Coordinates of all heavy atoms in Angstrom, one line a residue:
M1 N 0.9 -1.2 0.0 CA 0.0 0.0 0.0 C 0.9 1.2 0.0 O 1.5 1.6 1.0 CB -0.9 0.0 1.2 CG -2.0 1.0 1.2 SD -3.2 0.7 -0.2 CE -4.4 -0.3 0.7
A2 N 1.0 1.9 -1.1 CA 1.9 3.0 -1.3 C 1.2 4.3 -0.7 O 0.0 4.4 -0.6 CB 2.3 3.3 -2.7
Y3 N 2.1 5.3 -0.4 CA 1.6 6.6 -0.1 C 1.1 7.3 -1.3 O 1.6 7.0 -2.4 CB 2.6 7.4 0.6 CG 2.7 7.1 2.1 CD1 3.2 5.9 2.6 CD2 2.3 8.0 3.1 CE1 3.3 5.6 3.9 CE2 2.4 7.8 4.4 CZ 2.9 6.5 4.9 OH 2.9 6.3 6.2
V4 N 0.2 8.3 -1.2 CA -0.3 9.0 -2.3 C -0.3 10.5 -2.0 O -0.4 10.9 -0.8 CB -1.8 8.6 -2.7 CG1 -1.8 7.2 -3.2 CG2 -2.7 8.8 -1.5
I5 N -0.1 11.3 -3.0 CA -0.1 12.8 -2.9 C -1.4 13.4 -3.3 O -1.9 13.1 -4.4 CB 1.1 13.4 -3.7 CG1 2.4 12.8 -3.2 CG2 1.0 14.9 -3.6 CD1 3.6 13.3 -3.9
T6 N -2.1 14.1 -2.4 CA -3.4 14.6 -2.6 C -3.4 16.0 -3.3 O -2.3 16.5 -3.6 CB -4.2 14.8 -1.3 OG1 -3.6 15.9 -0.6 CG2 -4.0 13.5 -0.4
D7 N -4.6 16.5 -3.6 CA -4.7 17.8 -4.2 C -4.2 18.9 -3.4 O -4.1 20.1 -3.8 CB -6.1 18.1 -4.7 CG -6.6 17.1 -5.8 OD1 -5.7 16.6 -6.5 OD2 -7.8 17.0 -6.0
D8 N -3.9 18.7 -2.1 CA -3.3 19.7 -1.2 C -1.9 20.0 -1.6 O -1.3 21.0 -1.1 CB -3.4 19.3 0.2 CG -4.8 19.3 0.7 OD1 -5.7 20.0 0.2 OD2 -5.1 18.5 1.7
C9 N -1.3 19.2 -2.5 CA 0.1 19.4 -2.9 C 0.2 20.8 -3.6 O -0.5 21.1 -4.5 CB 0.5 18.3 -3.8 SG 2.1 18.6 -4.6
T10 N 1.3 21.6 -3.2 CA 1.5 22.9 -3.8 C 2.8 22.8 -4.7 O 3.2 23.8 -5.1 CB 1.7 24.0 -2.8 OG1 2.9 23.7 -2.0 CG2 0.5 24.0 -1.8
T11 N 3.3 21.6 -4.9 CA 4.5 21.4 -5.7 C 5.7 22.2 -5.1 O 6.5 22.6 -5.8 CB 4.4 21.8 -7.2 OG1 4.2 23.2 -7.4 CG2 3.2 21.0 -7.8
C12 N 5.7 22.2 -3.8 CA 6.9 22.9 -3.1 C 8.2 22.1 -3.2 O 9.2 22.7 -3.2 CB 6.5 23.2 -1.7 SG 6.6 21.7 -0.6
G13 N 8.0 20.8 -3.4 CA 9.2 20.0 -3.6 C 9.9 19.5 -2.3 O 11.0 18.8 -2.4
A14 N 9.3 19.7 -1.2 CA 10.0 19.3 0.1 C 10.1 17.8 0.2 O 11.1 17.4 0.9 CB 9.1 19.9 1.3
C15 N 9.2 17.1 -0.4 CA 9.3 15.6 -0.2 C 10.3 14.9 -1.1 O 10.8 13.8 -0.7 CB 7.9 15.1 -0.6 SG 7.3 15.5 -2.3
I16 N 10.6 15.5 -2.2 CA 11.5 14.7 -3.2 C 12.8 14.3 -2.6 O 13.2 13.1 -2.7 CB 11.7 15.6 -4.4 CG1 10.4 15.5 -5.3 CG2 12.9 15.1 -5.2 CD1 10.6 15.9 -6.7
S17 N 13.5 15.2 -1.9 CA 14.8 14.8 -1.4 C 14.8 13.8 -0.2 O 15.8 13.2 0.0 CB 15.6 16.1 -1.0 OG 14.9 16.8 0.0
V18 N 13.7 13.7 0.4 CA 13.7 12.8 1.6 C 13.4 11.3 1.2 O 13.6 10.4 2.0 CB 12.7 13.2 2.7 CG1 13.1 14.6 3.2 CG2 11.3 13.1 2.3
C19 N 12.8 11.1 0.0 CA 12.5 9.7 -0.3 C 13.8 8.9 -0.6 O 14.5 9.2 -1.5 CB 11.6 9.7 -1.6 SG 11.1 8.0 -2.1
P20 N 14.0 7.8 0.1 CA 15.2 7.0 0.0 C 15.2 6.2 -1.3 O 16.3 5.7 -1.7 CB 15.2 6.1 1.2 CG 13.8 6.1 1.7 CD 13.1 7.4 1.2
V21 N 14.1 6.0 -1.9 CA 14.1 5.2 -3.1 C 13.7 6.0 -4.4 O 13.4 5.4 -5.4 CB 13.1 4.0 -2.9 CG1 13.6 3.0 -1.9 CG2 11.7 4.5 -2.6
E22 N 13.7 7.3 -4.3 CA 13.4 8.2 -5.4 C 12.1 7.8 -6.1 O 12.0 7.7 -7.3 CB 14.6 8.2 -6.4 CG 15.8 8.7 -5.8 CD 17.0 8.8 -6.8 OE1 16.8 8.6 -8.0 OE2 18.1 9.1 -6.3
A23 N 11.0 7.6 -5.3 CA 9.7 7.3 -5.8 C 8.9 8.5 -6.2 O 7.8 8.3 -6.8 CB 9.0 6.4 -4.8
I24 N 9.3 9.7 -5.8 CA 8.5 10.9 -6.0 C 9.0 11.7 -7.2 O 10.2 11.9 -7.4 CB 8.6 11.8 -4.8 CG1 8.1 11.0 -3.5 CG2 7.7 13.0 -5.0 CD1 8.2 11.8 -2.2
S25 N 8.1 12.1 -8.1 CA 8.5 12.8 -9.3 C 7.4 13.9 -9.5 O 6.4 13.9 -9.0 CB 8.6 11.9 -10.5 OG 7.4 11.3 -10.7
E26 N 7.8 14.9 -10.4 CA 6.9 15.9 -10.7 C 5.8 15.4 -11.6 O 6.0 14.7 -12.6 CB 7.6 17.1 -11.5 CG 8.5 17.8 -10.6 CD 9.1 19.0 -11.3 OE1 8.4 19.7 -12.0 OE2 10.3 19.2 -11.2
G27 N 4.5 15.7 -11.3 CA 3.4 15.2 -12.2 C 2.9 16.4 -13.0 O 3.7 17.3 -13.3
E28 N 1.7 16.4 -13.4 CA 1.1 17.4 -14.2 C 0.9 18.7 -13.4 O 1.5 19.7 -13.7 CB -0.3 17.0 -14.8 CG -0.2 15.8 -15.8 CD 0.1 16.3 -17.2 OE1 -0.5 17.4 -17.6 OE2 0.9 15.7 -17.9
D29 N 0.1 18.6 -12.4 CA -0.1 19.8 -11.5 C 0.2 19.6 -10.1 O -0.1 20.4 -9.2 CB -1.5 20.4 -11.7 CG -2.6 19.3 -11.7 OD1 -2.2 18.2 -11.3 OD2 -3.7 19.6 -12.0
K30 N 0.7 18.4 -9.7 CA 1.1 18.1 -8.4 C 2.2 17.0 -8.5 O 2.3 16.4 -9.5 CB 0.0 17.7 -7.5 CG -0.8 16.4 -8.0 CD -1.9 16.0 -7.1 CE -2.5 14.7 -7.6 NZ -3.6 14.2 -6.7
Y31 N 2.9 16.7 -7.4 CA 3.9 15.7 -7.4 C 3.2 14.3 -7.3 O 2.0 14.2 -6.9 CB 4.8 15.9 -6.3 CG 5.9 16.9 -6.5 CD1 5.5 18.2 -6.7 CD2 7.2 16.6 -6.6 CE1 6.5 19.2 -7.0 CE2 8.2 17.5 -6.9 CZ 7.8 18.8 -7.1 OH 8.8 19.8 -7.4
K32 N 3.9 13.3 -7.7 CA 3.3 11.9 -7.7 C 4.2 10.9 -7.1 O 5.5 11.1 -7.2 CB 2.8 11.5 -9.1 CG 3.9 11.4 -10.1 CD 3.4 11.1 -11.5 CE 4.5 11.0 -12.5 NZ 4.0 10.8 -13.9
I33 N 3.7 9.8 -6.6 CA 4.5 8.8 -6.0 C 4.3 7.5 -6.9 O 3.2 7.1 -7.1 CB 4.1 8.5 -4.6 CG1 4.4 9.7 -3.7 CG2 4.8 7.3 -4.0 CD1 3.9 9.6 -2.3
D34 N 5.4 6.9 -7.3 CA 5.3 5.7 -8.1 C 5.0 4.5 -7.1 O 5.8 4.2 -6.2 CB 6.6 5.4 -8.8 CG 6.6 4.1 -9.5 OD1 5.6 3.3 -9.5 OD2 7.6 3.7 -10.1
P35 N 3.8 4.0 -7.2 CA 3.3 3.0 -6.2 C 4.2 1.7 -6.2 O 4.3 0.9 -5.2 CB 1.9 2.7 -6.5 CG 1.7 3.1 -8.0 CD 2.7 4.2 -8.2
D36 N 4.8 1.4 -7.3 CA 5.6 0.2 -7.4 C 7.0 0.4 -6.8 O 7.7 -0.6 -6.5 CB 5.8 -0.2 -8.9 CG 4.5 -0.6 -9.6 OD1 3.6 -1.1 -8.9 OD2 4.3 -0.3 -10.8
T37 N 7.4 1.6 -6.7 CA 8.7 1.9 -6.1 C 8.6 2.2 -4.6 O 9.5 1.9 -3.8 CB 9.4 3.1 -6.8 OG1 9.4 2.8 -8.2 CG2 10.8 3.4 -6.3
C38 N 7.5 2.9 -4.2 CA 7.3 3.3 -2.8 C 7.4 2.1 -1.9 O 6.8 1.1 -2.1 CB 6.0 4.0 -2.7 SG 5.5 4.5 -1.0
T39 N 8.2 2.3 -0.8 CA 8.3 1.2 0.2 C 7.4 1.4 1.4 O 7.6 0.8 2.4 CB 9.8 1.0 0.6 OG1 10.2 2.2 1.2 CG2 10.6 0.7 -0.5
D40 N 6.6 2.5 1.4 CA 5.7 2.8 2.5 C 6.4 3.2 3.8 O 5.9 2.9 4.8 CB 4.9 1.5 2.7 CG 3.4 1.8 3.0 OD1 3.0 2.9 2.7 OD2 2.7 0.9 3.6
C41 N 7.5 3.9 3.6 CA 8.3 4.2 4.8 C 7.7 5.4 5.6 O 7.9 5.5 6.8 CB 9.7 4.5 4.4 SG 9.9 6.1 3.6
G42 N 7.0 6.3 4.9 CA 6.3 7.4 5.5 C 7.1 8.7 5.7 O 6.7 9.6 6.3
L43 N 8.4 8.7 5.3 CA 9.3 9.8 5.5 C 8.7 11.1 4.8 O 8.8 12.2 5.4 CB 10.7 9.5 5.0 CG 11.5 8.6 5.8 CD1 12.8 8.3 5.1 CD2 11.7 9.1 7.2
C44 N 8.2 10.9 3.6 CA 7.7 12.1 2.9 C 6.5 12.7 3.5 O 6.3 13.9 3.6 CB 7.4 11.7 1.4 SG 6.2 10.3 1.3
A45 N 5.6 11.8 4.1 CA 4.4 12.3 4.8 C 4.8 13.2 6.0 O 4.1 14.2 6.2 CB 3.5 11.2 5.2
D46 N 5.8 12.8 6.7 CA 6.3 13.6 7.8 C 6.9 14.9 7.4 O 6.8 15.9 8.1 CB 7.4 12.8 8.6 CG 6.8 11.6 9.3 OD1 5.6 11.6 9.5 OD2 7.6 10.7 9.7
E47 N 7.4 15.0 6.2 CA 8.1 16.1 5.7 C 7.2 17.2 5.1 O 7.5 18.4 5.1 CB 9.2 15.7 4.7 CG 10.2 16.8 4.3 CD 11.2 17.0 5.4 OE1 11.3 16.2 6.3 OE2 11.8 18.1 5.4
C48 N 6.1 16.8 4.5 CA 5.2 17.7 3.8 C 4.6 18.8 4.7 O 3.9 18.5 5.6 CB 4.1 16.9 3.1 SG 2.9 18.0 2.2
P49 N 4.9 20.1 4.4 CA 4.4 21.2 5.2 C 2.9 21.4 5.0 O 2.3 22.1 5.8 CB 5.1 22.4 4.6 CG 6.0 21.9 3.5 CD 5.7 20.5 3.2
F50 N 2.3 20.8 4.0 CA 0.9 21.0 3.7 C 0.0 19.7 4.0 O -1.1 19.7 3.7 CB 0.7 21.4 2.3 CG 1.5 22.6 1.9 CD1 2.7 22.5 1.3 CD2 1.0 23.9 2.3 CE1 3.4 23.7 1.0 CE2 1.8 25.0 2.0 CZ 3.0 24.9 1.4
D51 N 0.7 18.7 4.6 CA 0.0 17.5 5.0 C -0.8 16.9 3.8 O -1.9 16.4 3.9 CB -1.0 17.8 6.2 CG -1.4 16.5 6.9 OD1 -0.6 15.6 6.9 OD2 -2.5 16.5 7.5
A52 N -0.1 16.9 2.7 CA -0.7 16.5 1.4 C -0.4 15.0 1.0 O -0.8 14.6 0.0 CB -0.3 17.4 0.3
I53 N 0.4 14.4 1.9 CA 0.8 13.0 1.6 C 0.1 12.0 2.6 O 0.3 12.2 3.8 CB 2.3 12.8 1.5 CG1 2.9 13.8 0.6 CG2 2.7 11.4 1.1 CD1 4.5 13.7 0.5
K54 N -0.7 11.1 2.0 CA -1.5 10.2 2.9 C -1.2 8.8 2.5 O -0.8 8.5 1.4 CB -3.0 10.5 2.6 CG -3.4 11.9 2.8 CD -3.4 12.3 4.3 CE -4.0 13.7 4.4 NZ -3.8 14.2 5.8
Q55 N -1.4 7.9 3.5 CA -1.3 6.5 3.2 C -2.4 6.0 2.4 O -3.6 6.3 2.7 CB -1.2 5.7 4.5 CG -0.6 4.3 4.4 CD 0.0 3.8 5.7 OE1 -0.4 4.3 6.8 NE2 0.9 2.9 5.6
G56 N -2.1 5.4 1.2 CA -3.2 5.1 0.3 C -3.9 3.8 0.7 O -3.6 3.2 1.6
Ligands
SF4_101 FE1 9.4 7.5 -0.7 FE2 8.8 6.6 1.7 FE3 7.3 8.5 0.6 FE4 7.2 6.0 -0.3 S1 6.5 6.7 1.7 S2 7.3 7.9 -1.6 S3 9.3 5.3 -0.1 S4 9.5 8.7 1.2

């Protein structure tokens, strides 16, 4: 069960550097998490200033 980035994402980029497996990338209008790469560690959810990353 991967984490997902909600519409609360402002594309600030705070999450990208904390992901240990580089699962986060820029999407169309918000960032996205590759569910096949995400290891469900939760580091990005802790880092997001807008609480936009939720457990899927
Ligand atoms: Fe990366 Fe962990 Fe966030 Fe998954 S939960 S996208 S592995 S930082």
Side-chain angles (χ1 to χ4, degrees):
M1 192 64 91
Y3 276 70
V4 293
I5 299 181
T6 72
D7 290 344
D8 290 335
C9 173
T10 66
T11 67
C12 73
C15 56
I16 282 199
S17 61
V18 301
C19 180
V21 293
E22 297 183 10
I24 304 174
S25 60
E26 289 185 45
E28 292 277 316
D29 48 9
K30 61 178 182 177
Y31 281 64
K32 61 182 179 184
I33 295 174
D34 177 359
D36 296 327
T37 306
C38 176
T39 61
D40 219 18
C41 73
L43 288 175
C44 57
D46 290 342
E47 193 71 21
C48 179
F50 304 99
D51 201 23
I53 306 180
K54 306 289 186 187
Q55 200 153 21

